[in-house]
Amino acid sequence: MGKLVIVGTMAFDAIETPFGKTDKILGGAATFISLAASHFNVDATAVSIVGGDFPQDYLDLLSNKNINLSGVEIVENGKTFFWSGRYHNDMNSRDTLATELNTLADFNPVVPENYKDAEVVMLGNLHPIVQSGVLDQITTKPKMVILDTMNFWMDSALDDLHNVIKRIDVITINDEEARQLTGEYSLVVAARKIHEMGPKYVVIKKGEHGALLFHNDHVFYAPALPLEEVFDPTGAGDTFAGGFAGYIAKTGDTSFENMKNAVIYGSTLASFCVEKFGTERMVNLTSEEVHKRLLQFKQLTQFDIELT
């Protein structure tokens, strides 16, 4: 069983979409990543920070899915990170209504001692200096370090972001972020430029249009499963990353061919995430449902062609 370190936020989200709205519900990158990775029976730990207002039920939920929480700092007199957003009708764009860093403002992640030799490290979207600080604590070179980031850090901490990108194996970003990071409109050219920054693999997420995996001159495309309704896209990218990282930790295989499988598993799990608000769909997701949807993905993408 491979060890997986998951670093990111545990948070409260308040979400409004064309389908409805919520009060504060469970969210955060580390939460979504952990719920997705739990489907692979790996030895995973979450490294995060919450306030005394974070319900024990939420911690128990992750513990019951065999996520080690010894790296989660609880600041009893502090408040948990909070984000509120409103999605537009196309569900691809959103407005941030509120961001309260709270305890996250002073987050100094500490990787548990018995996970400093983890085979896979998943760096969720955080300040690049925080991500680098995690890598400084890892004592054995991991088989794979995966990093997620966003345009906010490209605007506010670009040099720090470049420094941590040099140290990773896989970057997962969306198409808009890939273009901003490189100044290139073509995603093929953008991926090549990102390769030159350090990562061996570049995953560019395109929302409802799937994901692209780049490795040297090789490209793999995984479509998104066509869904009747997308209820709430929050956490879909983190769920993708959690499925991707969990699969790599389980198989221990970092070849391009196996990366393709990881992308499909990530896409499959993300397709469930968007079906309900927040983490609601992921909490009760069964392995039978995942297997059935993987077969749908296979039918969607597999065909024979006669060349004439």
Side-chain angles (χ1 to χ4, degrees), residues 55-300:
Q56 184 63 42
D57 286 352
Y58 288 170
L59 297 171
D60 292 343
L61 164 67
L62 293 171
S63 292
N64 292 339
K65 292 187 178 293
N66 296 317
I67 302 297
N68 178 291
L69 299 181
S70 59
V72 178
E73 180 184 354
I74 301 173
V75 182
E76 291 297 344
N77 61 349
K79 294 176 70 176
T80 301
F81 175 68
F82 170 68
W83 176 82
S84 174
R86 180 192 297 120
Y87 286 89
H88 298 180
N89 286 336
D90 65 1
M91 300 294 272
N92 287 323
S93 52
R94 69 188 185 192
D95 299 320
T96 292
L97 304 179
T99 301
E100 299 171 12
L101 291 177
N102 298 327
T103 53
L104 189 67
D106 301 313
F107 182 35
N108 185 21
V110 178
V111 178
E113 201 63 39
N114 55 329
Y115 286 91
K116 290 184 176 180
D117 60 349
E119 286 87 353
V120 179
V121 177
M122 177 67 232
L123 300 172
N125 175 30
L126 289 166
H127 195 294
I129 289 179
V130 175
Q131 294 174 322
S132 288
V134 171
L135 295 183
D136 291 341
Q137 298 175 52
I138 304 298
T139 55
T140 307
K141 183 174 173 56
K143 283 188 174 180
M144 182 154 282
V145 177
I146 306 160
L147 177 139
D148 189 20
T149 191
M150 67 183 298
N151 49 12
F152 178 78
W153 305 120
M154 297 173 199
D155 293 331
S156 62
L158 186 59
D159 288 344
D160 297 322
L161 181 58
H162 278 298
N163 286 335
V164 72
I165 286 176
K166 292 175 187 173
R167 305 175 64 184
I168 64 167
D169 303 293
V170 183
I171 186 170
T172 70
I173 51 179
N174 67 31
D175 46 358
E176 177 190 346
E177 292 156 353
R179 290 176 173 129
Q180 179 174 341
L181 184 59
T182 62
E184 297 289 348
Y185 186 80
S186 162
L187 295 179
V188 175
V189 178
R192 188 183 307 128
K193 281 200 169 183
I194 296 171
H195 277 314
E196 292 167 0
M197 297 176 189
K200 300 184 190 75
Y201 297 96
V202 178
V203 178
I204 298 179
K205 299 169 290 186
K206 292 172 60 65
E208 63 182 319
H209 303 297
L212 289 157
L213 169 68
F214 295 89
H215 174 59
N216 296 331
D217 294 326
H218 302 288
V219 185
F220 174 69
Y221 170 70
L225 196 71
L227 300 171
E228 287 192 19
E229 288 184 342
V230 175
F231 206 78
D232 171 23
T234 310
D238 295 315
T239 301
F240 173 92
F244 186 97
Y247 183 81
I248 297 302
K250 179 181 181 180
T251 60
D253 181 353
T254 60
S255 67
F256 181 70
E257 289 304 311
N258 201 49
M259 293 289 118
K260 295 179 183 179
N261 292 327
V263 168
I264 293 296
Y265 269 93
S267 297
T268 299
L269 289 164
S271 74
F272 286 107
C273 178
V274 302
E275 291 181 339
K276 291 188 177 179
F277 272 120
T279 59
E280 187 181 351
R281 185 68 174 92
M282 299 305 295
V283 166
N284 300 310
L285 183 61
T286 67
S287 55
E288 289 79 14
E289 288 176 308
V290 175
H291 181 72
K292 184 177 178 182
R293 189 156 289 184
L294 280 167
L295 292 178
Q296 286 180 265
F297 259 99
K298 188 173 181 181
Q299 291 166 355
L300 179 70

